[in-house]
Every structure is written in structure tokens, then in C-alpha cells.
Amino acid sequence: MSPTRRLAFALVGLVDLACAAEPAGPGHGESIAEELEAANAHSASTTRLAEFEDQQRATIDFEHQPASDHRFGSDPVRLIALPERRFAGVLRGLDRLVVLDEFGAMQAELATPHLPMGLALAPDRATLVVVGIGEPLVQIVDLTIDEELQVGLRERDRIELGAEAMSPRDLAFAGDRLWIVDEGTQAIHALAWPPSDPPSVRSRPHCRGPIELRAIGDLLLTNCLIEHTLRIDSVGRDPGLIEQAMVGHDGPIWAFDGRVESDGDVLLALAGVEDHPLDRRDGGFGHVDSFVFLTRFDRATKTLVREAEINVSELGLVTPKSIAFGPRIGSQPAPDWTLDLTGYATAERLRLHGRAGELANVERHPWLPGSQSVLRVEHEGSITWLAANPLLDIWMLGAGDLAPGWVAVPDDRDDRSFPERLGEALLTTTAMAPDNSSEGQRSRFTCETCHFEGRGDGRTHWTGRGEVHATSKTLFGLFENRPYFSRALDKTMAVMVDSEFRVANRHSPRDPWATLTERDLPWLARLPGWPGEVDGELLRRSLMAGLIRASMPSNPRARARAAANQREFSPLEARGAELFRDQCESCHEARLVADDPSTRVPFGRWAALVLSETGPILWASDVYARTAIEPWVHELGARIPSLRRLHLDGPYFTTGAAASVSAVLAGVRVRSEARVDHDLPDSAGQPLAPADQQALLAFLDLL
């Protein structure tokens, strides 16, 4: 019997029970008929979605699939102010530094390191510094602005950060150093400034997932996304950092700002997820609203006091990636505050006014979703707002209460279809569940709440099943890595995507198969290719298309060697590859497609594929393993996870028991029957020798 007929028979059974309980009222038969018609339509849609998935799997060459680095448009991600009402920004999707005038017109451009994310103006106000997460180096650029306000950019130098660097993310000047945080190695690098010859770079461990660095007074603050902390350091001598405090949350912080008060204390504003464990008991997502937190750092006692927490999801703003204190007005007392923030997932800019811990007033201004790196510029009594918007690939400009304008930033290589563009919006905005509320434990959220920029967020959440927990994982490279989730219950992407629509709308009055229109979200009209409305089937196909396009990004460790055609392991890496082959690969198989054993790659080809720009091997399979990591998420254990791009994930294991790859290797035990397990803490079995751990770590860093 077909699934449609089974569903129809089940509904008929429900009709019989209902009729036995009470007389049929007017329209009762029509209601059941409509439900049957909808069930048939959804079944037909599900079949077509499965066929679409099969067609995509048959078409894609997973060994040569391009990395996602430049597959999502120009991606303007950062914007800073320059002298003479000029602005510098970086285009992650084009590897470009650009200078704009106050109307968003480009005046100069220059090639940058791969995937630029960090941008700063040096103290001399004539030098720009750029770092990118795709290359372990710092670019130094001379900036000139002549009397006619014509702008010039000239690269002066590129400084290698050394073996302890991988993916520099952000940078800030403090003391006599340029400080750079590295999300790949969880380190902070200190470059003596101005650079000496040869340059002096010192590196030290810092925190997990550093995504933002800022100097406030004599303090250096780091947003440690995966660690769920805001780290506060004072800058010591040559080139020490003295840890002062750590602001800790239950979930990630997405953006922050700070200001020094009259008494020397620092008032911090943090935008992030609700400071509460994720609640999955009823199958939905509870306590994951977007919040703003005000915290005071007492310099004298080195203590932290939370002064306010504001649920901005309740105010209609979701996933704020930009927050800034507004200027003080006249002789305004220190406890008064104004905060400007924008939500990446929603189409408003808010200005919050308060005193101490109380929110007094909320101003609302039209905006567009997808904004970050927002600047407030005041000139001759007028205020202009500028922002980078990687979702819509535009620079945004706004003034007062007027609807914002924008300047498009095209990418000639951008071949995205409309479903692929919509898929990105479904992942990062409220378009997937536009009618959700923040009442009680319910939340207004997006996929990015747990998958920041498509990756993990460091959270190990309770699943609602006994004591079982699970960690958030990256969404990159998901298509070839099925079945999905640690329990591996969703065997295909078509099934998984349908489940996600259902779960996202669980507490919403909206039918998960409802058509999406501009009446739901007016900003959709600004999405290139928007047809006016999209039905439930195209919504699911679009989410699938977006996830399929989100291939795994390149590995900075391997990319440079691939470009230089260096396709051989070093002696240490080769030793690690041999150890992995002998002790790990029986579970973490060298497959290109997790549920296709025929794609397993022989050992002789490992170096060529690992040291390629795409690094396509998954190091996973579709089977369960009953490891010593308990409790198991499934009665058969947990699905063997992929080890590709481990620096984008963490913590590790379903329980989050290992904070780093080094901790994973320290917990490995080789049992007498030649079975390798991960027991944390120690248990029966032989631990790996330190030299073997070092070799394996060198190999895993390349994956």
C-alpha cells in the first residue's frame, strides 16, 4: 500500500471515530476532504523533492565540487569609517578591499588575502590592515586621500603569521601591538607595530571561536563564540595580556560594544541568544530568543554585574549581529544609555533607550535583513547609517525614518538560482517560520541561532530524551553527509528539510506547508528573482538547494599547498596518515559520500585529495558505533561523524566532552582486541603515545 493510501486510510479511521463520538456538523465532511486533498498534495510534493535530491546526487561530482568560499555572491561583511567621510569595506566573496564615499559609490579597490573578514585603520590614519580566514597572513595597505578627495590604495606588505596561525578573523590596535585573533588555532597573535624587519610576531592560546576583537580604553575584549564568553584582558608589556574577567553565557554571543564610564568602570552591551538552556522537551525549540544584555565590569574589584536583559525577539528583532552604544546627550547621567542594533534575520533597526536596568523607550526604523557592521555617521547635524549586507550583497544607506537605500555589489561569477538565494534566506532569516512568537518558553529564531554563519555554535543541548545531549554541527558539506543528526533518523535531505519546517513552526499558527508571500515579509520583494509568492514545495526545494550549494569551505592548511601543487605529506603528516589508516579509518572511512561505500578512497590517493583546495574526503560513514561515550543518542549508538574541517566544529562528541581535537586524542584508548575507543576520563586500554598524538593532530589539521 502506498504512503498516500496509508495516510488516507488513517484519516478515514479518525473520521469514523469522530462520527461515533458526535454528530457531524456543517462543513465537517468538507474539512476531512480538504485534509485528504492536502495530504495527497504533500505526498506528491515529497516524492518530487526526493526525485530532486536523487537528480542532484547523480549530477554532482563530489570529488571536484568547488569549495563554498566564493559561491554566495560578493558578500560585503565589514565596514569601517575613514577620514574625509570615506569608508573602507571588505568583500569576502571577491577577496577585495574597497573604499566608498558617503553615497556608497566605490572609489578604489585592492585584492586582499583569501576570504577577508578583519579590517582596521592604523593609529596613523593612513594605513589599513586586512586579515582573511583563508590565509595565515596580515596585509598592510597604504591609504591616500588627496585634496580632491580622490582615494588611493597600495599594498605595502604581506606578513606571514607563522605555523601557529591558520584563520585570522579580526584585529585591533592596543598598546604598541596589532592583535589578531585566529579562529582556526584558537590563538591570539601579537605583531609589533609599526612592523620591524623582520616582523616580530608572538602567538599564545586564547579562546575557542574568537570572532570579534575590540580595544576599549586599555582593555582588549574578545568575543569567543564557541566558548560562549566575552574575554576581557588588559594589555601588558612585551606583549603580555593580563586576563581580567570572563563574561559567560549558556549560549553564543553574536556582537558586543562597550563604553568607559565616568568612574572608570566599563559598561558592556552584548547581543546573543537567551541565557538559558535550549529546551526540546515538546519537540520544538524553547528558550532561544535573541537578547541584549547590559553588564558592568568593575575595574577595581574585577567583578561583573548584569544590569539588564532585554528580549529583543519580543520586540521583533532576531539575531542581532550589530550593536553599538549611542552618544551621550549633553550632561546625561552615566546610568542612561542608548543602544542601536539591527537584526540579521529581521527587517528593522531599533534604538533602545534606558536608565540603569530599565528599558524606557524603543524607536523603530525600517531596514533590511542580512545587515552587519553597521556604522552611525553624524555630519553637520545629519545622521546617516551605513551597513554591510552579505545576504543581499549590498551596501545599505539610511537616514532618519526613511526607508534605507542601497548600492548593489555584483559578482560576475555569481550563478546562483533563485531557489539557492531563497535557501540562504531561509537559513538566516525568519522566513522559515515568520509567525513564531516569543511567548513563555517559545522563541523567534532561525537556523543561525544554533549554526552561526552556517557552522556550529559550541552548544551541547539537551535533546529532551532522558539524559541524552547532542552538540551543534556545521551545515557546510551537509548534502554528501547523510543520514542526518547523531541519531541518523533522517535518511535523506528531503525528509530532513520537511522535518525542519515542521519543527520550526511547531508552536506557530502557521501550517508548515503554507505559501510564503510579501504579506508575510514585505522585504522578500527585495530578494533577486522573487516571484511574488512561493508554495511549500518550492520552499523546501529552496532550502535543499541552499544547503547543497553550501559545500565545505577550503582548508587554509591545505589550500596554499594545493595552489603550489604540493601534494605530498610532510614526514609528520605521513606518520599521522598511517596511524589514522591503521587505527581510525575503519570507522571514519575515507568516503566522498557518507552513505555510499563505493566512494571510499584508497590510501594511495589520500595525499592528493587532502592537499587539494576542496579536500573532499568526509572521513565518515552512515553506520552507528557503540562507543564508550554515553548515554547513547540511539539504542545502536551514534552515527559516525565526519572529521572534515574540525576547526569549524566543537566541542566534540555528542556530550561535548572534549573541548579540542587535542583533548579527543588524549582520550583515545586502543583496547587489547585492537578496538579504538574514546573514553573520557581514562579507562581500560592503551593511550596513544605523545608522538603519535602529535602526528595524528598534524594529519587531522589538514582535513
Side-chain angles (χ1 to χ4, degrees):
M1 184 182 296
S2 71
T4 302
R5 293 193 64 194
R6 282 199 300 271
L7 179 57
F9 275 104
L11 288 172
V12 169
L14 291 174
V15 173
D16 292 339
L17 288 173
C19 290
E22 59 181 349
H28 183 72
E30 289 84 346
S31 176
I32 293 298
E34 290 172 356
E35 291 182 21
L36 286 170
E37 183 179 356
N40 285 327
H42 297 167
S43 178
S45 291
T46 301
T47 298
R48 287 191 292 270
L49 291 170
E51 292 171 349
F52 169 70
E53 180 172 359
D54 290 342
Q55 182 270 332
Q56 291 292 302
R57 280 170 67 92
T59 302
I60 295 174
D61 177 357
F62 290 104
E63 181 175 328
H64 301 99
Q65 185 180 21
S68 62
D69 300 13
H70 292 155
R71 302 192 75 194
F72 286 92
S74 57
D75 273 357
V77 293
R78 192 69 183 271
L79 195 62
I80 64 170
L82 301 178
E84 304 293 346
R85 302 203 314 274
R86 296 299 181 261
F87 306 90
V90 291
L91 304 173
R92 180 177 55 194
L94 294 176
D95 293 348
R96 286 288 185 275
L97 166 68
V98 298
V99 175
L100 312 172
D101 66 16
E102 59 191 312
F103 305 106
M106 187 175 71
Q107 295 197 309
E109 65 175 319
L110 186 71
T112 66
H114 192 51
L115 300 177
M117 290 291 292
L119 174 64
L121 181 65
D124 65 7
R125 298 178 64 78
T127 305
L128 289 167
V129 188
V130 184
V131 294
I133 56 175
E135 291 185 80
L137 55 83
V138 174
Q139 181 187 35
I140 301 175
V141 177
D142 291 326
L143 166 72
T144 57
I145 304 177
D146 65 20
E147 294 181 354
E148 297 181 354
L149 301 184
Q150 297 300 304
V151 178
L153 295 173
R154 183 184 67 85
E155 181 177 300
R156 184 197 314 167
D157 201 1
R158 291 196 176 203
I159 297 174
E160 298 286 342
L161 291 173
E164 296 182 56
M166 181 179 180
S167 296
R169 169 84 184 213
D170 201 9
L171 66 170
F173 288 92
D176 59 352
R177 305 278 164 172
L178 173 65
W179 302 86
I180 305 119
V181 286
D182 193 317
E183 67 178 11
T185 61
Q186 305 173 9
I188 189 166
H189 313 295
L191 171 64
W193 194 267
S196 56
D197 187 16
S200 173
V201 180
R202 298 191 183 182
S203 303
R204 56 181 284 175
H206 198 52
C207 68
R208 289 179 287 136
I211 63 166
E212 185 177 7
L213 186 67
R214 186 173 301 185
I216 297 176
D218 64 338
L219 297 177
L220 197 63
L221 282 71
T222 310
N223 181 2
C224 308
L225 180 98
I226 301 299
E227 202 167 279
H228 304 158
T229 59
L230 182 73
R231 175 173 173 151
I232 304 173
D233 293 285
S234 59
V235 179
R237 293 186 177 181
D238 195 33
L241 289 179
I242 304 170
E243 184 178 323
Q244 302 292 306
M246 299 278 277
V247 184
H249 281 187
D250 186 83
I253 300 161
W254 301 314
F256 74 93
D257 194 15
R259 73 179 192 190
V260 179
E261 303 290 76
S262 57
D263 57 4
D265 290 350
V266 179
L267 187 61
L268 302 168
L270 300 90
V273 75
E274 189 169 350
D275 191 10
H276 189 289
L278 171 63
D279 194 330
R280 295 296 314 275
R281 280 177 293 186
D282 62 357
F285 291 89
H287 296 297
V288 286
D289 275 327
S290 298
F291 268 69
V292 165
F293 305 93
L294 282 174
T295 298
R296 180 175 295 271
F297 173 53
D298 187 316
R299 292 293 304 269
T301 62
K302 297 184 181 180
T303 57
L304 297 159
V305 178
R306 180 177 294 176
E307 295 190 346
E309 55 181 72
I310 303 162
N311 187 336
V312 292
S313 281
E314 288 184 344
L315 301 177
L317 187 142
V318 180
T319 323
K321 291 189 182 180
S322 177
I323 185 169
F325 281 104
R328 291 191 177 95
I329 301 173
S331 59
Q332 183 186 68
D336 285 1
W337 49 266
T338 299
L339 286 171
D340 294 301
L341 61 155
T342 57
Y344 197 90
T346 45
E348 272 190 321
R349 176 172 55 82
L350 297 186
R351 169 162 274 204
L352 309 181
H353 299 276
R355 180 173 176 80
E358 299 296 325
L359 177 63
N361 184 38
V362 178
E363 294 180 26
R364 300 178 180 275
H365 302 277
W367 208 243
L368 290 174
S371 297
Q372 58 189 51
S373 195
V374 180
L375 297 181
R376 178 185 185 274
V377 182
E378 189 167 357
H379 178 66
E380 296 181 351
S382 63
I383 297 173
T384 302
W385 298 86
L386 298 95
N389 190 310
L391 175 63
L392 300 175
D393 297 312
I394 57 176
W395 301 112
M396 291 185 59
L397 304 98
D401 294 327
L402 300 177
W406 61 87
V407 175
V409 189
D411 177 1
D412 293 339
R413 303 167 304 179
D414 189 1
D415 61 352
R416 284 176 294 169
S417 64
F418 168 72
E420 289 171 328
R421 289 178 179 272
L422 178 58
E424 183 182 356
L426 289 167
L427 288 166
T428 58
T429 75
T430 57
M432 195 169 173
D435 296 334
N436 277 354
S437 77
S438 298
E439 181 182 358
Q441 74 168 31
R442 299 177 183 179
S443 302
R444 295 191 70 198
F445 61 97
T446 73
C447 297
E448 220 186 345
T449 303
C450 295
H451 301 280
F452 183 78
E453 295 181 351
R455 305 174 302 175
D457 69 348
R459 176 172 282 201
T460 301
H461 65 82
W462 180 47
T463 63
R465 304 185 305 277
E467 295 301 317
V468 175
H469 286 69
T471 55
S472 301
K473 297 179 175 65
T474 180
L475 299 181
F476 288 111
L478 198 64
F479 187 47
E480 58 266 38
N481 193 25
R482 69 183 196 185
Y484 301 112
F485 307 110
S486 298
R487 286 200 297 166
L489 297 184
D490 288 356
K491 304 300 182 185
T492 68
M493 181 170 280
V495 170
M496 183 271 287
V497 162
D498 185 41
S499 298
E500 291 303 298
F501 271 92
R502 186 175 64 254
V503 172
N505 289 277
R506 184 174 181 83
H507 294 301
S508 168
R510 187 181 187 85
D511 185 331
W513 282 88
T515 294
L516 185 66
T517 73
E518 294 165 33
R519 293 187 299 276
D520 300 304
L521 298 169
W523 64 262
L524 288 167
R526 306 301 179 191
L527 194 65
W530 176 252
E533 64 177 32
V534 175
D535 64 18
E537 181 178 336
L538 183 52
L539 285 172
R540 284 157 176 76
R541 184 186 291 253
S542 297
L543 183 55
M544 292 173 66
L547 288 169
I548 292 169
R549 191 171 185 90
S551 54
M552 191 64 76
S554 62
N555 185 337
R557 292 278 195 221
R559 181 179 172 275
R561 289 163 67 174
N565 202 29
Q566 298 174 3
R567 300 300 177 91
E568 293 185 2
F569 293 137
S570 70
L572 184 64
E573 294 161 354
R575 173 61 179 155
E578 292 169 355
L579 287 166
F580 191 92
R581 176 196 61 195
D582 297 339
Q583 298 184 345
C584 309
E585 203 263 343
S586 60
C587 288
H588 298 282
E589 292 189 10
R591 297 185 184 185
L592 299 174
V593 179
D595 59 350
D596 185 354
S598 70
T599 65
R600 193 173 185 179
V601 176
F603 182 71
R605 297 194 64 215
W606 284 15
L609 293 187
V610 168
L611 296 175
S612 67
E613 183 168 352
T614 58
I617 303 176
L618 282 179
W619 313 104
S621 74
D622 56 339
V623 303
Y624 292 99
R626 293 185 172 185
T627 70
I629 305 300
E630 296 179 340
W632 296 335
V633 297
H634 187 279
E635 62 182 6
L636 297 178
R639 209 214 100 179
I640 301 293
S642 171
L643 301 184
R644 189 163 56 152
R645 310 300 189 271
L646 284 172
H647 70 282
L648 298 178
D649 274 332
Y652 303 100
F653 304 124
T654 54
T655 60
S660 65
V661 178
S662 295
V664 171
L665 295 174
V668 167
R669 296 296 178 267
V670 181
R671 299 177 182 268
S672 57
E673 64 271 24
R675 174 185 173 185
V676 175
D677 212 332
H678 304 82
D679 299 325
L680 301 170
D682 294 349
S683 69
Q686 183 66 34
L688 292 170
D692 289 347
Q693 292 185 42
Q694 184 181 10
L696 277 167
L697 184 60
F699 176 69
L700 292 171
D701 274 350
L702 297 174
L703 305 187

